[in-house]
């Protein structure tokens, strides 16, 4: 299972996350910083809600006409001299890339950051085939060096690590002997990576958005590593999720602008690269060969379902950056390379409920994610939709809960029964109450009282008071 | 104006005092209170847990119960938002959907009603104290009401309102979330309690009994001296 991280249970992972004080402090700081920067970027742009609506319309239109635009994209890539491969599964995608590597007798492959290659475990597949794969995004580079520690955030993959931990990793693995100053650490990584770029036979990148009308791909980075990875090696392979495209450059403009603002609060990142196939005669640099691998891996099963809008995601992580659950448990608790609200929606869709059944419940449904999403994915509603599938279709919820909800439905639709329940509550709970407070509740109430006091029901309910008052009784 | 009061389960059973203040407050501003006795629960516990068949039963019952109302007012942004969810919940039953839309259109959270419908900014309340206000998620994000509580609170005589740090973050209630994911919920409510303490306010004000039950319960467990009040109680405060 490629998206899934490790075998620990959800509760174990959460406990581990909660007890990691350093990680939590870093996440809190990052959320605070990004919250301010994004709010500023929204204000600077102006009319943020209108831009969101436009972005939502662009994504909806593209997904509604996905077959048309994919065909157009594919035709234009070929026209530009590139190759296109549609991979239905992770295995097919990896197989295709391995074949190119074999044909090119590639020993070293340099990569820029790509979540879809994480999703299909491409590095692992290539390493098994004997290639050396080097991540060139600084965060990914650090994680790879640290025994392939999985990413905990889709934009800032090494968010859970501090500079001292990074210094130690560099020292142990690469003989680094300087301080934990970010500038020195980065300088060291640059020097190391420069050599790797020069030696690489193949460059593999993701694709932020492909542009159907011109058969181009675009890459958005702050480090410029994607630009080097696509210009130095002789072969460039771009791997994209099949939904990551726009009809024309006009829509690209809108979505890149929304992506940069939502992800890091920047108008534009330092590098936004548009590439249209291999180098042409007279070009000074660029790859001789270009391959675009379009990955389905479960996406087409989402089309036409209540979850289709999940495919609108542009991977900006704005939902993760505002999520109060992510804030306290961190990315690894989700047990998937896609964490946070979008991860809780996507992981069960792409990989099934079996491994990700707890994720739809890892949300208080506060809707901060829905509010933050630049393409208006109703994330908290999709989490409820998952719960609905689990409760009513898969029937995987605990039997006690099912009966309780049936009882609830019955009581909430019959006032007599409802009143009886409300009336008897004070008596049922009275053995647990002391001075109007319940400190140790029975049954399902225990989850509540483990953490906080529960109020004992009042003897006179509001409705009794109101009735008496109408009669001219007590007030 | 005749107002049909939807009291909510929590206020009915656990916080009847809040209901009394709502009644007095609305009456003082010229409303006649109707309390449909058949009202039960908005169905949110079932809805949020994914049991939509059971939630529909609650929804249909509430639609019938409040069908006669001119305006429905409730002291909870979350329960008001649930009423507004009914048309979507019943989208495949045309007649019910229409009736759900009618209910949704005439439903208001208490402060929203005071500020937007009755155009009141000053309820004449007086409460000499320092307080901080917790913005409930469903009220601000699902109902979209971000202004009314602040407008009303800013005119309470003697009340000093202190900004709550990270006020946009959920308190960790989330209905069944607090029970199902209690360890995560605990971290969330603890951070909220820390933020409240940071303001050094005497009173925590909120507009949803769920959030107040959660934050108040945690503060009580940790022996924090902060007093918890529903906004209806604040807006109905008078000089003693």
């Amino acid at each position: 299972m490629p998206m899934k991280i490790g075998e620990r249970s959800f509760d174990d992972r959460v406990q581990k996350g909660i007890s990691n004080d350093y990680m939590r402090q870093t996440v809190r700081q990052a959320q605070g910083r990004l919250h301010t920067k994004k709010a500023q970027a929204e204000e600077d742009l102006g009319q943020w809600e209108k831009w969101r609506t436009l972005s939502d319309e662009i994504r909806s239109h593209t997904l509604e006409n996905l077959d048309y635009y994919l065909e157009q994209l594919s035709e234009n890539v070929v026209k530009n001299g590139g190759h296109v491969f549609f991979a239905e599964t992770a295995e097919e995608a990896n197989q295709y890339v391995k074949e190119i590597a074999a044909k090119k007798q590639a020993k070293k492959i340099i990569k820029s950051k790509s979540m879809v290659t994480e999703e299909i475990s491409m590095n692992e597949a290539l390493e098994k085939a004997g290639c050396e794969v080097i991540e060139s995004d600084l965060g990914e580079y650090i994680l790879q060096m640290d025994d392939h520690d999985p990413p905990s955030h889709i934009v800032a993959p090494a968010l859970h690590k501090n500079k001292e931990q990074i210094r130690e990793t560099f020292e142990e693995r690469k003989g680094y002997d300087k301080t934990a100053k970010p500038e020195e650490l980065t300088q060291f990584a640059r020097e190391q990576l420069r050599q790797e770029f020069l030696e690489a036979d193949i460059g593999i990148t993701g694709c932020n958005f492909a542009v159907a009308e011109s058969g181009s791909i675009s890459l958005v980075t702050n480090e410029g590593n994607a630009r080097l990875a696509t210009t130095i090696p002789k072969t460039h392979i771009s791997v994209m999720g099949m939904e990551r495209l726009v009809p024309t450059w006009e829509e690209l403009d809108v979505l890149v602008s929304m992506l940069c603002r939502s992800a890091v609060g920047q108008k534009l990142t330092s590098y936004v690269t548009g590439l249209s196939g291999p180098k042409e005669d007279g070009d000074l640099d660029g790859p001789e060969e270009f391959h675009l691998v379009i990955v389905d891996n479960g996406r087409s099963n989402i089309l036409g379902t209540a979850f289709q809008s999940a495919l609108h995601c542009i991977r900006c992580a704005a939902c993760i950056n505002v999520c109060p659950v992510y804030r306290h448990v961190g990315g690894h608790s989700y047990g998937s390379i896609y964490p946070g609200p979008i991860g809780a929606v996507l992981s069960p869709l792409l990989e099934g409920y079996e491994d990700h059944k707890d994720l739809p419940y890892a949300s208080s449904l506060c809707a901060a994610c829905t509010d933050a999403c630049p393409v208006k994915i109703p994330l908290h509603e999709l989490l409820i939709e998952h719960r609905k599938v689990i409760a009513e279709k898969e029937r995987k919820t605990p039997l006690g809960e099912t009966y309780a909800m049936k009882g609830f439905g019955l009581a909430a639709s019959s006032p007599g029964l409802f009143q009886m329940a409300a009336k008897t509550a004070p008596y049922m709970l009275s053995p647990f109450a002391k001075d109007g407070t319940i400190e140790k509740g029975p049954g399902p109430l225990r989850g509540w009282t483990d953490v906080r006091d529960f109020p004992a029901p009042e003897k006179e309910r509001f409705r009794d008071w109101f009735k008496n008052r109408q009669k001219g009784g007590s007030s | 104006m005749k107002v049909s009061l939807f009291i909510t389960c929590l206020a009915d059973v656990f916080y009847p005092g809040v209901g009394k203040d709502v009644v007095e407050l609305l009456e003082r501003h010229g409303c006649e209170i109707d309390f449909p006795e058949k009202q039960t629960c908005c169905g949110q516990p079932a809805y949020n847990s994914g049991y939509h068949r059971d939630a529909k039963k609650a929804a249909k019952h509430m639609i019938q119960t409040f069908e006669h109302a001119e305006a429905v007012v409730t002291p909870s942004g979350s329960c008001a938002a649930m009423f507004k969810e009914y048309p979507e919940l019943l989208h495949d039953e045309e007649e019910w959907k229409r009736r759900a839309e009618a209910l949704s259109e005439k439903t208001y959270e208490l402060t929203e009603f005071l500020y937007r419908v009755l155009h009141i900014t000053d309820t004449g309340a007086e409460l000499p104290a320092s307080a901080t206000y917790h913005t409930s998620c469903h009220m601000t994000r699902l109902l979209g009401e971000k202004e009314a509580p602040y407008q009303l609170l800013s005119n309470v005589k003697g009340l000093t309102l202190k900004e709550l740090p990270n006020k946009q973050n959920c308190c960790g209630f989330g209905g069944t979330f607090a029970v199902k994911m209690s360890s995560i919920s605990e971290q969330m409510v603890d951070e909220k309690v820390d933020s409240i303490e940071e303001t050094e306010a005497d009173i925590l004000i909120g507009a949803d009994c769920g959030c107040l039950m959660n934050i108040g319960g945690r503060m009580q467990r940790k022996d924090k001296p902060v007093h918890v009040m529903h906004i209806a109680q604040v807006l109905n405060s008078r000089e003693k």
Side-chain angles (χ1 to χ4, degrees):
Chain A
M1 286 292 173
M3 280 168 55
K4 189 182 159 194
I5 305 169
E7 292 300 326
R8 298 163 69 109
S9 74
F10 176 75
D11 290 340
D12 273 4
R13 296 193 306 259
V14 166
Q15 283 317 319
K16 199 178 165 203
I18 286 174
S19 53
N20 186 346
D21 288 337
Y22 173 75
M23 179 277 293
R24 290 177 60 185
Q25 196 195 335
T26 321
V27 171
R28 270 201 298 275
Q29 285 168 352
Q31 282 197 337
R33 200 171 53 241
L34 290 165
H35 175 78
T36 317
K37 284 181 79 178
K38 179 172 180 260
Q40 188 61 51
E42 289 176 13
E43 208 189 301
D44 290 348
L45 181 66
Q47 311 269 4
W48 182 252
E49 283 312 305
K50 283 189 182 161
W51 285 107
R52 284 180 82 206
T53 305
L54 177 63
S55 306
D56 174 24
E57 281 166 9
I58 292 172
R59 292 302 287 144
S60 300
H61 169 84
T62 310
L63 266 294
E64 290 297 334
N65 301 284
L66 190 60
D67 50 348
Y68 174 80
Y69 289 118
L70 277 174
E71 199 178 326
Q72 193 188 11
L73 171 70
S74 151
E75 276 172 10
N76 287 327
V77 170
V78 173
K79 227 181 262 174
N80 296 339
H83 305 267
V84 179
F85 180 72
F86 280 91
E88 200 183 329
T89 61
E91 292 72 28
E92 280 180 24
N94 290 335
Q95 188 54 39
Y96 180 76
V97 175
K98 277 193 292 188
E99 278 166 19
I100 300 171
K103 223 184 277 173
K104 301 284 160 197
Q105 296 179 319
K107 290 189 190 71
K108 191 171 274 190
I109 295 173
I110 192 96
K111 277 186 71 200
S112 73
K113 191 172 156 20
S114 148
M115 285 310 294
V116 68
T117 60
E118 291 277 350
E119 177 190 319
I120 61 176
S121 302
M122 180 171 279
N123 290 11
E124 221 181 301
L126 283 167
E127 279 163 5
K128 268 190 198 152
C131 299
E132 189 189 353
V133 183
I134 293 136
E135 293 285 354
S136 65
D137 170 85
L138 183 57
E140 294 284 358
Y141 179 68
I142 293 162
L143 296 182
Q144 189 182 34
M145 206 185 292
D146 194 14
D147 292 329
H148 301 269
D149 194 13
S152 67
H153 187 281
I154 61 176
V155 172
L159 186 66
H160 57 286
K161 289 208 176 299
N162 70 17
K163 48 191 183 192
E164 188 47 44
Q165 289 169 320
I166 296 166
R167 192 201 61 77
E168 274 171 33
T169 306
F170 280 12
E171 182 188 72
E172 273 172 36
R173 304 298 157 99
K174 297 274 178 188
Y176 176 73
D177 59 2
K178 292 194 177 138
T179 71
K181 263 195 196 157
E183 293 81 3
E184 285 184 7
L185 290 166
T186 310
Q187 184 55 35
F188 177 77
R190 282 189 73 177
E191 285 160 12
Q192 298 284 316
L193 278 168
R194 187 56 56 124
Q195 198 51 36
E196 308 284 13
F197 276 114
L198 292 171
E199 288 171 9
D201 305 297
I202 296 177
I204 296 182
T205 68
C207 166
N208 287 94
F209 302 101
V211 185
E213 71 167 347
S214 61
S216 314
I217 65 148
S218 66
L219 294 162
V220 177
T221 79
N222 264 325
E223 296 169 22
N225 57 317
R227 195 167 281 185
L228 266 184
T230 54
T231 40
I232 298 178
K234 284 188 174 157
T235 306
H236 171 207
I237 304 171
S238 169
V239 186
M240 66 177 266
M242 68 182 273
E243 79 285 15
R244 300 296 295 273
L245 77 170
V246 289
T248 74
W249 286 78
E250 218 168 301
E251 289 85 30
L252 180 76
D253 179 20
V254 176
L255 292 186
V256 166
S257 159
M258 294 301 273
L259 171 63
C260 298
R261 284 181 165 87
S262 304
V264 280
Q266 287 172 259
K267 264 193 219 167
L268 275 183
T269 47
S270 310
Y271 297 86
V272 177
T273 309
L275 297 160
S276 305
K279 78 170 168 187
E280 291 171 14
D281 292 341
D283 283 355
L284 284 179
D285 53 18
E288 288 167 10
E289 211 171 293
F290 172 69
H291 297 261
L292 180 61
V293 181
I294 301 172
V295 179
D296 182 334
N297 201 31
R299 285 164 175 75
S300 53
N301 297 332
I302 306 171
L303 287 171
T305 70
F307 295 101
Q308 181 164 314
S309 62
L311 293 175
H312 294 183
C313 178
I314 59 171
R315 305 289 190 269
C316 69
C319 61
I320 299 174
N321 298 339
V322 295
C323 179
V325 171
Y326 180 92
R327 183 180 183 84
H328 294 289
V329 304
H332 288 167
S333 295
Y334 290 82
S336 161
I337 58 141
Y338 295 119
I342 186 63
V345 170
L346 268 183
S347 308
L349 290 173
L350 293 177
E351 218 171 47
Y353 287 104
E354 188 62 31
D355 285 327
H356 304 289
K357 62 179 184 307
D358 295 297
L359 296 189
Y361 300 95
S363 164
S364 62
L365 303 178
C366 75
C369 45
T370 301
D371 243 23
C373 180
V375 293
K376 284 194 174 178
I377 304 172
L379 287 152
H380 78 283
E381 287 173 20
L382 296 181
L383 290 172
I384 296 177
E385 195 63 32
H386 269 312
R387 296 177 186 189
K388 185 177 150 191
V389 174
I390 294 168
E392 295 187 340
K393 216 164 134 198
E394 304 252 318
R395 295 178 184 274
K396 291 269 171 65
T397 41
L399 206 58
E401 185 184 293
T402 312
Y403 282 125
M405 289 302 170
K406 279 217 178 320
F408 171 84
L410 205 62
S413 53
S414 40
L417 206 59
F418 189 81
Q419 292 221 32
M420 202 170 73
K423 246 184 201 163
T424 48
Y427 302 102
M428 303 274 282
L429 290 171
S430 65
F432 303 94
K434 203 182 137 196
D435 302 329
T437 296
I438 298 167
E439 289 185 3
K440 262 201 180 109
L445 207 55
R446 210 161 338 128
W448 181 278
T449 53
D450 279 351
V451 177
R452 33 188 133 39
D453 290 353
F454 191 77
E458 295 278 342
K459 289 275 178 315
E460 187 189 48
R461 294 172 306 158
F462 169 81
R463 61 179 78 216
D464 302 324
W465 171 84
F466 191 84
K467 212 173 186 176
N468 280 335
R469 187 173 182 263
Q470 295 293 86
K471 284 185 201 153
S474 69
S475 64
Chain B
M1 186 171 190
K2 195 168 175 179
V3 166
S4 296
L5 176 62
F6 165 34
I7 192 62
T8 78
C9 316
L10 289 183
D12 188 19
V13 178
F14 296 102
Y15 305 104
V18 171
K20 295 173 196 173
D21 283 304
V22 173
V23 170
E24 287 178 15
L25 189 60
L26 288 171
E27 281 179 347
R28 188 161 343 99
H29 289 98
C31 299
E32 186 195 333
I33 307 297
D34 154 56
F35 182 80
E37 278 189 41
K38 285 187 172 167
Q39 61 182 275
T40 54
C41 171
C42 65
Q44 195 172 170
Y47 179 79
N48 282 356
S49 302
Y51 295 84
H52 290 195
R53 281 194 285 266
D54 300 310
K56 276 180 194 175
K57 289 180 194 158
K60 287 178 180 175
H61 174 74
M62 291 301 255
I63 290 169
Q64 285 171 320
T65 305
F66 286 97
E67 202 133 47
H68 68 282
E70 275 176 52
V72 179
V73 173
T74 180
S76 159
S78 189
C79 303
M82 187 61 220
F83 269 24
K84 292 184 184 289
E85 201 61 50
Y86 286 176
E88 182 52 35
L89 178 66
L90 297 163
H91 73 275
D92 52 1
E93 297 178 57
E94 209 178 312
E95 178 59 15
W96 278 109
K97 188 186 171 211
R98 192 190 51 74
R99 293 168 73 181
E101 275 163 358
L103 174 62
S104 163
E105 278 161 26
K106 61 184 179 188
T107 297
Y108 303 91
E109 180 275 335
L110 174 69
T111 61
E112 180 190 23
F113 181 75
L114 290 168
Y115 180 60
R116 311 249 173 220
V117 180
L118 301 183
H119 304 293
I120 292 165
T121 49
D122 187 351
T123 57
E126 188 166 352
L127 184 66
S130 76
T132 190
Y133 176 73
H134 166 67
T135 52
S136 299
C137 302
H138 288 180
M139 172 120 137
T140 48
R141 301 202 181 100
L142 304 189
L143 273 192
E145 184 52 77
K146 295 173 182 155
E147 226 183 292
Y150 287 106
Q151 283 288 344
L152 294 164
L153 287 174
S154 69
N155 288 314
V156 174
K157 226 188 262 170
L159 189 73
T160 315
L161 210 56
K162 297 181 168 180
E163 173 98 358
L164 186 62
N166 291 314
K167 62 176 181 181
Q168 74 282 358
N169 283 349
C170 172
C171 70
F173 176 58
T176 53
F177 172 80
V179 177
K180 249 190 173 156
M181 298 272 165
S182 65
S183 59
I184 304 175
S185 169
E186 178 180 356
Q187 304 306 317
M188 290 161 72
V189 71
D190 268 351
E191 194 186 359
K192 191 58 75 186
V193 171
D194 288 346
S195 301
I196 293 163
E197 276 198 298
E198 217 177 290
T199 67
E200 295 179 348
D202 308 317
I203 302 172
L204 167 72
I205 304 169
D208 251 292
C209 290
C211 314
L212 294 179
M213 186 161 138
N214 177 42
I215 307 171
R218 184 61 178 167
M219 291 202 293
Q220 197 173 329
R221 177 65 57 88
K222 295 178 105 180
D223 287 323
K224 302 291 181 194
V226 183
H227 187 54
V228 176
M229 285 177 94
H230 188 278
I231 195 164
Q233 298 172 300
V234 176
L235 298 179
N236 195 38
S237 291
R238 285 291 173 278
E239 205 183 4
K240 297 267 157 65

